[in-house]
Each structure stands twice: as C-alpha cells, then as structure tokens.
Amino acid sequence: MLLLSATRRGSPLCADESRRFRRTGRKIGDRVLTTAMALAISFPFLSAPAQAQGRKIPVVRDAETEELLRDYAMPIFKAAGIAMTRPDIILVNDKSYNAFVPDSGRMFINVGVLMESETPNEVIGVIAHESGHIAGRHLAQLRGAASNAAIMSVIGMLLGAGAVAAGATSGSGGISQGGLAAAAAGGAIGQRSFLAYRRGQEAAADKAALRYLNATGQSAKGMLTTFKRFADEQMFIAKYVDPYAVSHPMARDRYRSLETAAEQSAYFNKKDPASLQFRHDMVRAKLFAFTSHPNAVARAYPRSDTSLPAQYARAIAAMKTRRRDAIKDVDAMIRQLPNDPYLYELKGQVLLEGGNPRSAVAPFRKAVSLRPNEGQFLVWLGYALVGSNDPNVLGEAERILRKGVQQDPYSRIGFSQLAIAQVRQGKQADADLSTAKGLMVAGDFDAAKRYAARAQKNLKRGSPAWLQADDIVSYKPPHLGNN
C-alpha cells in the first residue's frame, strides 16, 4: 500500500471599486472567494475535503481496493451516462465518512467510507450520489453560482464599508456599530444564496442516485443506512444549527425525502451477492489493519475469529511486529485461496519491506501472472528486481517498470525505481526524465522542470523522450480560477 499526496489551489478575486474602498474590497473579495471556491471544488457527502482548504490530501494506492470500487462503480457510471469518461476513483487516507468530486474526471472516496460501511450497497449508494454530481455537471454550474455569490457579497459588504466610513466622519469620533453589522450582513446574503444553491444540488444528486440504483437493479437501502447514521450523529447538534447556513440538507431531512421512494423500489430488499460481500469484508479488514495499531486489530479480529477477513487483518498487523508470523499467516491463506493475486502481493510486500527483495520476486511474479496488466503489481515486481542488486536483471526490471508506469501513471515509486534501474545501466538522461515524471506525479513541478531540462541536454532533439521532457519544462500548473 503506497501513499501519495496532491493539492489544489484557488486564486483570489479582488474587488476594484473606488480608490477609497479598494483595500477593503480586496480583503472582502479574498474572503468571499476563499469561502465560495472551497465549496465549489468539492461535493462532500457530509463535510468539506482537506484539499478544499488548500491542504495536502494523502492518497492511498491499493490495487485490491481500487478494483473493488471500480466494480461497484461501473454499473452506476453506465446508468448515469458517464461510463465513457470513466472517472478515476481515488482513495484518501482519512477515516472519516466522506466522498467528493473536484471535477468530472475524479471521484475521491475516504477509506472511512469502506471501513464503516457494512455492505457493498452502502458504498455503492455513495458512488451513486457522487455520480449524480458529475452527470448533472454541478461543478460547472456551481462555479457560476459562486461567482454570483461573490458579487453579491462584495457589493453588500462595500455598502457596509461605506456606512463604516460614514460613522468615522460623523463627528462621533468612532466607527459605527451599525456599519459593521451591515458589512457582515452583506457577506451573509451572498453566502446564504450560494449555500441554498448547493443544497439544491445535493438534493438533485440524491434523487439521481435513486434512479441509478433502480436502473441497475440495486437497493437504495444502503443510502438510507448512511443518512440514518448521519442523522443520529447530528441529533444532539441539529437544534443549534441554522439549516440555511449549511451546504447540505440536514441528514434527517434527506432521509425522509428519500425513504418513501426508496422503499417503493422493487429492489429495496435485494441483497448484495455473497461473492461481493466477501470481497467487501476482505477490503474492510485490510484497510483497518493497515491504518490501525496491531493492538486495535487484535481486539477487532481476535484469534477466535477464524474467518478469512480476520486472518487477513491479523497477517497485515503481524507485518509491523512479527514478519515471520506474517509470512506463515499469508501462506496459510494462500493454501485456502491459491488464485488470489492480492495474497501473493501481500507476501511479496512483507518480504520486500523486511529487507529480502530477492525472495519477494517470486510472489510478485505470481501476482503478475494472475493479473498481467495490473500496474501496481508490475511496479512491485520491478521494485523487487531493482532491490535484489543483481545487474543481470536490470534490463528486465526496466522493461517491467516501464510497463508498470504505463498501466499506472500515478505511481511515483514506479518512476523512482525506473530511474534507479536506468542510472545503474548508464542511462543518465533516461533516468533524469523518469525522475522528472515522478516529481510531476508528486506535484513538485519546479524540481520536475529542473530534471527534465537536464535530461533534454543529453537527449536527441525532437525524439519522443526529448519531447516528453519539453512538455514538462513547458508545463504550467492550472489554477482553479482558470479552469
């Protein structure tokens, strides 16, 4: 399981009014756009995502979980009419129950969604809701609403600022409290208008989700379970919350608005297939074990629990403290599930991280033989070959890693290991280009440009590699305001 990071940034909107209020207007504009665009770039199921406030998002890479989510999503994507664009589903290393879409091409889902959902249907309901935002083109519409809210807020607060200035020159020698109230109210008007627009979009996405679930012959019971959970959590704070000052309808209201329609569906009592439930339970155990202390795993999955998900969790927990026991545990599972590629991947990971890359090669090869086009397996295998320090396999490692990053272009570690394989073979320019690509994946554009420029100096002008380096050197990161 690998971790990456990504960030998004917003650009400030400045009000350019009269010279007298220019500075005030600029501050107001910054504040308005900070609020408006933080909401505009995400459609959380419950709360605003980390990147909406400009912080880094820790992204989890795991082939098994990603495949499961794709299998959950594809029928929904088809029903929503977005199967051709096939948005990437990206896992976020956050245990809170949240999902969001920043654009039409990506859907972020917190690991907490999978860990807290007891059935696949609950996760599918989340995916259906987020698909409703993508199919409804809510992001593009919301940007227009954010712009209108910003204009309303700036005008309202500038008028308030005028009252503030009038108070300062009225002979009272002080600033008018009424003026301050007017300034605050001006911002609130625009913000409430914008939030009302968002609540309408959330309700539309809920209804769209119901249509997609019916079209795919699936129950909406999981969606209701999710909203009931939220409603229970909000029970003690709901009376203190202004329902017009939040971006989402209150959970209890969402539950009630969906309950009747959901229960009328012919599929309401339909259960998930046993095979899908098993895969869901395995992934839940895996995510819990990787993100929790071994003691917590022992409490959640005691030795008395002999199920395969419990064995999976204990094997992963053992990686952190008792690697020999982890290998024994994984081998015992492989005897029960000899064609499960993820068990071979786990065994290889235990060996590789335990400092034995040569022994890790065989289980990674087995995983690749079972899933030849899984980019993460190819990267693991190439990583183990490079780590074996055998010069005779560097050529093979380079070929495998090239295929790995072709299948999985988001793998920073794939590019870094490819660079190592290349530099050990004396291919410095190729190694610099691979390093630059890895830095692009990490979002370190300045460093990527430096390595790409260095690569260009030693690459044939006009060659495919030279052109790739040139693309990186010429790259200009998009800004939210220009999208």
Side-chain angles (χ1 to χ4, degrees):
M1 189 171 291
L2 309 177
L3 299 179
L4 303 174
S5 294
T7 59
R8 290 184 65 85
R9 295 186 300 173
S11 54
L13 173 71
C14 297
D16 187 12
E17 298 295 330
S18 66
R19 182 182 302 273
R20 186 174 189 179
F21 300 122
R22 185 172 294 145
R23 181 175 300 175
T24 303
R26 182 174 293 113
K27 290 180 180 178
I28 293 167
D30 288 348
R31 187 187 315 169
V32 168
L33 196 74
T34 298
T35 300
M37 295 313 293
L39 295 170
I41 63 175
S42 67
F43 298 98
F45 215 66
L46 184 63
S47 59
Q51 117 280 8
Q53 291 100 34
R55 298 192 299 271
K56 289 184 178 181
I57 295 180
V59 177
V60 181
R61 300 303 315 283
D62 179 66
E64 183 176 17
T65 308
E66 290 172 13
E67 182 183 32
L68 180 66
L69 289 173
R70 285 194 298 269
D71 289 347
Y72 287 165
M74 282 313 297
I76 297 295
F77 287 171
K78 289 178 182 177
I82 57 176
M84 292 298 291
T85 59
R86 194 178 180 179
D88 289 330
I89 299 180
I90 301 169
L91 273 173
V92 179
N93 188 18
D94 188 324
K95 291 186 178 182
S96 63
Y97 201 105
N98 195 18
F100 55 93
V101 289
D103 50 45
S104 62
R106 291 172 297 173
M107 181 182 297
F108 289 79
I109 297 180
N110 285 5
V111 295
V113 172
L114 286 148
M115 291 167 63
E116 290 190 35
S117 297
E118 295 184 0
T119 67
N121 188 245
E122 292 174 52
V123 181
I124 293 167
V126 173
I127 292 172
H129 171 90
E130 299 304 330
S131 297
H133 283 306
I134 295 174
R137 300 188 71 252
H138 289 173
L139 182 67
Q141 296 171 18
L142 195 60
R143 283 187 178 133
S147 177
N148 291 334
I151 292 169
M152 291 174 64
S153 296
V154 170
I155 291 173
M157 292 190 75
L158 281 170
L159 291 174
V164 170
T169 59
S170 64
S172 63
I175 296 176
S176 165
Q177 294 300 314
L180 288 173
I189 291 170
Q191 187 180 52
R192 281 177 176 250
S193 172
F194 179 72
L195 292 174
Y197 190 87
R198 283 209 65 198
R199 290 193 299 274
Q201 289 191 329
E202 292 301 324
D206 288 344
K207 292 177 181 178
L210 281 180
R211 293 198 304 272
Y212 305 152
L213 291 167
N214 275 326
T216 55
Q218 300 183 86
S219 173
K221 189 175 290 186
M223 279 187 67
L224 292 182
T225 299
T226 298
F227 287 134
K228 188 176 187 306
R229 180 191 297 115
F230 291 165
D232 290 343
E233 291 173 355
Q234 290 179 354
M235 183 182 302
F236 297 105
I237 64 169
K239 64 181 179 180
Y240 302 108
V241 175
D242 180 354
Y244 299 104
V246 294
S247 62
H248 288 54
M250 297 301 288
R252 179 62 63 186
D253 296 335
R254 296 175 83 175
Y255 181 91
R256 289 170 178 165
S257 68
L258 295 174
E259 185 178 18
T260 300
E263 291 179 348
Q264 288 176 346
S265 169
Y267 307 107
F268 185 69
N269 291 314
K270 185 176 179 180
K271 293 186 177 181
D272 297 306
S275 58
L276 200 62
Q277 183 67 57
F278 173 73
R279 291 174 62 194
H280 182 81
D281 293 341
M282 291 288 280
V283 163
R284 285 185 75 199
K286 183 178 197 176
L287 293 174
F288 183 82
F290 266 114
T291 59
S292 304
H293 191 277
N295 291 342
V297 176
R299 288 191 297 270
Y301 296 96
R303 287 285 172 185
S304 58
D305 185 347
T306 59
S307 67
L308 281 164
Q311 293 179 52
Y312 207 14
R314 291 194 296 267
I316 293 167
M319 286 177 60
K320 304 172 185 178
T321 54
R322 308 179 313 277
R323 293 191 183 275
R324 289 185 179 179
D325 290 343
I327 292 296
K328 292 178 182 177
D329 290 344
V330 177
D331 282 339
M333 293 187 69
I334 287 174
R335 287 193 290 272
Q336 298 171 78
L337 298 173
N339 294 316
D340 188 326
Y342 305 109
L343 296 180
Y344 294 101
E345 179 197 25
L346 180 60
K347 182 176 181 177
Q349 185 176 356
V350 174
L351 292 165
L352 182 63
E353 294 182 358
N356 195 353
R358 285 177 182 264
S359 297
V361 169
F364 284 141
R365 283 196 193 280
K366 180 64 175 179
V368 169
S369 72
L370 292 167
R371 290 285 193 282
N373 294 317
E374 175 50 62
Q376 292 182 57
F377 289 176
L378 291 163
V379 168
W380 276 124
L381 176 56
Y383 190 172
L385 288 168
V386 170
S388 68
N389 290 319
D390 182 353
N392 296 318
V393 300
L394 287 174
E396 180 190 10
E398 181 181 4
R399 291 191 299 273
I400 289 171
L401 286 164
R402 281 188 181 278
K403 184 178 179 182
V405 295
Q406 187 175 35
Q407 296 290 335
D408 183 12
Y410 299 120
S411 177
R412 181 185 180 185
I413 196 168
F415 284 112
S416 67
Q417 291 300 310
L418 177 58
I420 293 171
Q422 289 166 332
V423 78
R424 288 181 182 177
Q425 297 176 84
K427 302 177 180 180
Q428 185 63 56
D430 290 335
D432 287 339
L433 179 55
S434 295
T435 300
K437 290 178 180 179
L439 289 166
M440 288 291 288
V441 170
D444 191 345
F445 303 128
D446 291 337
K449 288 172 181 287
R450 290 196 299 272
Y451 275 94
R454 194 168 80 177
Q456 269 191 313
K457 294 178 181 178
N458 297 297
L459 292 168
K460 183 180 179 181
R461 187 176 184 85
S463 67
W466 187 92
L467 292 171
Q468 290 172 28
D470 193 57
D471 286 341
I472 295 173
V473 171
S474 305
Y475 178 74
K476 294 182 179 180
H479 291 283
L480 188 61
N482 299 327
N483 284 350

